[in-house]
């Protein structure tokens, strides 16, 4: 058992963006570290040169910062176990590979790509369950190896998987996991470009960085027996493993780009709050068991435990994410929403309106229960920013009556005599008039809303009137008379 302070890591390969699955892995590691007084480390697994993407690391770090999963050690802040870029640790991997070679646990392989292809084809023809390297180069003598090395022949270093019992390990999520040793290939540890493979670098770094718990996606479960062998060969203690359930599309296929966005940045750009994303991904494979679904990060830290991570795949349900976004929006202070709205306005067609904070706060408040995203504070109520130019036809049909112009005219006249009308003034005037004329309030409200906003729904009637204000109400009523024809 590992008793020291837990140390966990998020170890993405920089592919250009942070995948929502990656965010879930990062989050669970973060929550685990925070919950248990441990350390959370960011390590960049950039040993696959073919997949190198310019700017990917910067982008990843930016996104991690945006969501607020702050790490204690990492490439841009350092720590005692760096470097945190695997590409800067090549000598370290080489050293351990050499040690394995010396001990007969790994070996040089000079096979050409052609030979390997032929071998695979033969094995397929022979209907072997799985293509595996045939240990051809294991029989090379020391002298032969040296000759080839001297001649500058390309080589890789392979793990020498020896016969033995099943490879097994405990997993916090899946309990006991076992793999037949036969199914494990003599995998490559060091590639011909002298970069390590994922397996080699991952194990060496997890050990040297004193990682106590390896929490990662289920797609890595099949790599774990290889890692377990490596730990064994290197004489190192195993970390505790926890493999998180797969993320699925709603049709239960593996979450894919084709069925929706998978980059955290895409969700950020669409206006989701980081709080909703965190809350949402936390529930992809974990629940506290108390039917609560709304959490902030602090609450998640308090509740999180690996033993409540599910085995079954977790369906990525965008409706739930939208719902959480609404809930988080509603829980936010108006001042924060105001800042968001101001920012959204700067890139909207209303950027030159110079609206006061006081005015915008009224919108924030009045619409808070009716919007899902900050941008809805603009898109769903443009009538706060400009006069309506169109009027909803169905509302006209249903609500614009013969007498509507007469009632609105009266309302217009009445409010024009009030100086700086308050919300209550707008309400009282309307109620008084309806009473005097002995008609239902609806006879005033519906046409008035239509004339002032162009649509049939929106915030509370008197919030709408108060925010739009006396002058604009008056002019909008006049315009409506000209434009609304039945
Ligand atoms: N580099 C791997 C990835 O991109 C890390 C897997 C692991 O956590 O071991 O997900």
């Amino acid at each position: 058992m590992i008793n020291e302070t837990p140390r966990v890591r998020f170890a993405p390969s920089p592919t250009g963006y942070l995948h929502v699955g990656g965010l879930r892995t990062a989050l669970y590691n973060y929550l685990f570290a925070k919950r248990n007084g441990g350390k959370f480390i960011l390590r960049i697994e950039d040993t696959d040169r073919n997949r190198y993407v310019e700017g990917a690391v910067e982008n990843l770090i930016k996104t991690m910062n945006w969501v607020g999963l702050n790490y204690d050690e990492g490439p841009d802040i350092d720590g005692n176990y760096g470097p945190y870029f695997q590409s800067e640790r090549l000598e370290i991997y080489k050293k351990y590979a050499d040690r394995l070679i010396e001990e007969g646990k790994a070996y040089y392989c000079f096979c050409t790509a052609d030979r390997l292809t032929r071998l695979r084809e033969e094995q397929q023809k022979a209907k072997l369950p799985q293509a595996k390297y045939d240990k051809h180069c294991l029989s090379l003598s020391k002298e032969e190896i040296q000759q080839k090395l001297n001649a500058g022949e390309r080589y890789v270093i392979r793990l020498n998987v020896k016969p033995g019992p099943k490879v097994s390990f405990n997993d916090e999520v899946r309990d006991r996991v076992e793999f037949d040793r036969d199914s494990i290939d003599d995998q490559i540890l060091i590639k011909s470009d002298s970069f390590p493979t994922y397996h080699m670098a991952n194990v060496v770094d997890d050990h040297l960085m004193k990682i106590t718990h390896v929490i990662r996606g289920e797609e890595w479960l099949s790599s774990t027996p290889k890692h377990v062998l490596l730990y064994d060969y290197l004489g190192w203690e195993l970390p505790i493993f926890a493999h998180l359930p797969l993320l699925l599309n709603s049709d239960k296929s593996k979450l894919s780009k084709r069925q929706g966005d998978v980059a955290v940045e895409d969700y950020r750009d669409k206006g989701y709050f980081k709080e909703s994303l965190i809350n949402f991904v936390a529930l992809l494979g974990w629940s506290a068991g108390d039917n609560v679904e709304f959490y902030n990060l602090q609450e998640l830290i308090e509740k999180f435990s690996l033993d409540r991570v599910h085995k079954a795949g977790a369906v990525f349900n965008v409706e739930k994410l939208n719902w959480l976004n609404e809930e988080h929006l509603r829980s936010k202070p108006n001042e924060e929403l105001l800042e968001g709205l101001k920012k959204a306005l700067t890139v909207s067609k209303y950027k030159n309106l110079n609206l006061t904070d006081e005015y915008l706060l009224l919108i924030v408040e009045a619409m808070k229960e009716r919007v899902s995203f900050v941008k809805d504070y603009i898109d769903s109520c443009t009538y706060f920013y400009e006069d309506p130019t169109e009027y909803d036809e169905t509302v006209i049909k249903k609500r614009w009556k013969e007498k509507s112009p007469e009632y609105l005219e009266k309302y217009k006249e009445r409010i024009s005599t009030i100086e700086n009308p308050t919300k209550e003034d707008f309400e009282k005037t309307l109620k008084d008039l309806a009473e005097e004329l002995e008609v239902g309030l609806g006879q005033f409200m519906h046409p008035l809303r239509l004339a002032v906003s162009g649509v049939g729904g929106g915030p509370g009637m008197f919030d709408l009137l108060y925010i739009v204000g006396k002058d604009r109400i008056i002019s909008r009523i006049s315009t409506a008379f000209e434009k609304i024809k039945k």
Side-chain angles (χ1 to χ4, degrees), residues 40 143 174 270 276 351 361 381 470:
F40 174 51
E143 294 69 38
R174 331 221 114 236
K270 282 186 173 166
S276 341
K351 59 173 177 284
L361 268 174
C381 48
K470 175 173 121 177

Side-chain angles (χ1 to χ4, degrees), residues 319-434:
E319 283 81 49
K320 185 157 172 183
L321 173 59
N322 291 342
W323 170 74
L324 282 170
N325 210 64
E326 276 169 32
E327 294 295 308
H328 279 277
L329 186 148
R330 264 149 232 173
S331 76
K332 280 180 183 288
N334 291 349
E335 287 65 33
E336 189 183 330
L337 296 170
L338 168 70
E339 290 314 311
L341 172 55
K342 282 161 76 172
K343 211 165 139 213
L345 279 167
T346 60
V347 291
S348 77
K349 62 172 171 165
Y350 305 121
K351 59 173 177 284
N352 297 323
L353 285 186
N354 283 326
L355 299 164
T356 62
D357 285 4
E358 199 189 349
Y359 180 77
L360 295 173
L361 268 174
L362 291 173
I363 302 175
V364 165
E365 178 68 39
M367 296 297 291
K368 202 166 181 178
E369 295 297 320
R370 293 172 175 81
V371 292
S372 311
F373 295 92
V374 165
K375 65 177 175 357
D376 297 342
Y377 274 124
I378 304 174
D379 303 341
S380 74
C381 48
T382 55
Y383 42 81
F384 288 132
Y385 309 95
E386 62 180 332
D387 293 336
T389 49
E390 284 168 13
Y391 301 85
D392 188 322
E393 283 298 334
T394 39
V395 184
I396 297 178
K397 255 191 219 127
K398 210 163 143 203
R399 304 292 195 190
W400 192 261
K401 303 277 153 63
E402 219 184 296
K403 290 255 184 191
S404 298
E406 183 191 324
Y407 298 153
L408 294 196
E409 183 61 34
K410 287 211 158 65
Y411 189 71
K412 195 176 97 176
E413 278 166 18
R414 207 51 85 85
I415 59 164
S416 62
T417 63
I418 312 174
E419 202 156 318
N420 297 326
T422 61
K423 193 168 138 184
E424 290 69 34
D425 290 332
F426 285 115
E427 183 170 356
K428 188 166 182 315
T429 310
L430 195 141
K431 287 186 171 157
D432 287 352
L433 264 176

Side-chain angles (χ1 to χ4, degrees), residues 173-241:
V173 180
R174 331 221 114 236
D175 305 325
R176 190 91 185 139
V177 184
E178 287 187 339
F179 285 83
D180 277 334
R181 201 169 280 244
D182 276 0
S183 68
I184 306 171
D185 194 10
D186 277 6
Q187 73 214 270
I188 297 175
L189 303 178
I190 304 286
K191 295 177 281 187
S192 59
D193 62 1
S194 76
F195 275 73
T197 53
Y198 154 69
H199 307 295
M200 179 69 179
N202 194 266
V203 166
V204 168
D205 286 349
D206 282 346
H207 174 74
L208 294 181
M209 294 182 182
K210 295 201 163 38
I211 299 303
T212 58
H213 296 71
V214 169
I215 305 169
R216 63 183 166 204
E218 189 178 306
E219 59 274 31
W220 303 105
L221 187 66
S222 59
S223 297
T224 309
K226 303 173 187 175
H227 300 179
V228 171
L229 273 186
L230 264 173
Y231 278 103
D232 182 33
Y233 283 7
L234 288 161
W236 293 338
E237 194 177 353
L238 283 184
I240 292 171
F241 292 103

Side-chain angles (χ1 to χ4, degrees), residues 5-184:
T5 311
R7 288 176 56 83
V8 293
R9 77 324 187 257
F10 174 47
S13 303
T15 53
Y17 60 88
L18 178 59
H19 190 283
V20 284
L23 177 63
R24 198 259 318 252
T25 302
L27 175 66
Y28 285 19
N29 276 285
Y30 174 89
L31 295 175
F32 182 81
K34 297 289 152 190
R35 176 88 190 99
N36 298 293
K39 295 275 182 249
F40 174 51
I41 291 126
L42 175 66
R43 179 175 76 222
I44 304 296
E45 301 210 326
D46 57 348
T47 59
D48 189 346
R49 294 282 103 187
N50 300 325
R51 288 174 61 198
Y52 178 78
V53 180
E54 191 72 47
V57 174
E58 292 72 13
N59 196 32
L60 190 114
I61 289 177
K62 206 171 115 200
T63 311
M64 290 284 285
N65 289 339
W66 175 70
V67 286
L69 296 184
N70 302 327
Y71 33 89
D72 303 296
E73 297 166 30
D76 55 332
I77 52 171
D78 263 334
N80 293 332
Y81 299 88
Y84 294 90
F85 281 107
Q86 288 189 326
S87 57
E88 293 173 12
R89 301 170 64 83
L90 301 188
E91 269 153 39
I92 302 176
Y93 311 124
K94 182 73 173 66
K95 182 178 111 193
Y96 287 103
D98 287 347
R99 192 172 112 189
L100 289 170
I101 292 178
E102 261 164 47
E103 295 172 0
K105 294 166 180 165
Y107 59 96
Y108 288 102
C109 170
F110 298 91
C111 286
T112 59
D114 273 356
R115 177 171 191 276
L116 295 175
T117 313
R118 272 201 318 274
L119 179 65
R120 208 173 313 122
E121 284 166 1
E122 276 164 26
Q123 291 181 340
Q124 273 161 4
K125 248 192 235 146
K127 300 243 179 324
L128 294 188
Q130 168 201 9
K132 265 170 68 180
Y133 181 63
D134 61 355
K135 291 186 184 280
H136 179 76
C137 289
L138 189 56
S139 55
L140 292 174
S141 69
K142 267 205 162 97
E143 294 69 38
E144 283 170 316
I145 293 170
Q146 201 51 54
Q147 255 171 27
K148 285 177 182 288
L149 291 177
N150 292 347
E153 272 189 47
R154 282 171 80 82
Y155 66 88
V156 298
I157 297 175
R158 288 181 183 275
L159 186 70
N160 183 11
V161 181
K162 299 176 186 176
K166 286 187 181 207
V167 178
S168 57
F169 55 93
N170 288 326
D171 187 280
E172 292 291 288
V173 180
R174 331 221 114 236
D175 305 325
R176 190 91 185 139
V177 184
E178 287 187 339
F179 285 83
D180 277 334
R181 201 169 280 244
D182 276 0
S183 68
I184 306 171

Side-chain angles (χ1 to χ4, degrees), residues 443-468:
Q443 299 291 319
F444 275 92
M445 295 239 229
H446 298 303
L448 186 55
R449 182 185 285 281
L450 181 67
V452 171
S453 71
V455 290
M461 183 71 213
F462 304 106
D463 284 327
L464 172 71
L465 295 178
Y466 181 65
I467 298 172
V468 171

Side-chain angles (χ1 to χ4, degrees), residues 266-359:
D266 290 338
Y267 289 95
R268 179 196 57 205
D269 296 346
K270 282 186 173 166
Y272 289 93
F273 295 118
K274 60 181 180 201
E275 292 86 350
S276 341
L277 272 170
I278 292 278
N279 191 163
F280 176 69
V281 300
L283 301 176
L284 291 174
W286 169 89
S287 61
D290 54 6
N291 283 332
V292 177
E293 294 205 294
F294 180 89
Y295 292 105
N296 62 34
L297 191 56
Q298 193 49 42
E299 291 163 339
L300 287 169
I301 293 172
E302 281 154 25
K303 294 263 160 124
F304 186 80
S305 71
L306 283 177
D307 57 15
R308 296 212 58 93
V309 172
H310 314 149
K311 285 193 186 63
V315 174
F316 192 96
N317 174 348
V318 179
E319 283 81 49
K320 185 157 172 183
L321 173 59
N322 291 342
W323 170 74
L324 282 170
N325 210 64
E326 276 169 32
E327 294 295 308
H328 279 277
L329 186 148
R330 264 149 232 173
S331 76
K332 280 180 183 288
N334 291 349
E335 287 65 33
E336 189 183 330
L337 296 170
L338 168 70
E339 290 314 311
L341 172 55
K342 282 161 76 172
K343 211 165 139 213
L345 279 167
T346 60
V347 291
S348 77
K349 62 172 171 165
Y350 305 121
K351 59 173 177 284
N352 297 323
L353 285 186
N354 283 326
L355 299 164
T356 62
D357 285 4
E358 199 189 349
Y359 180 77

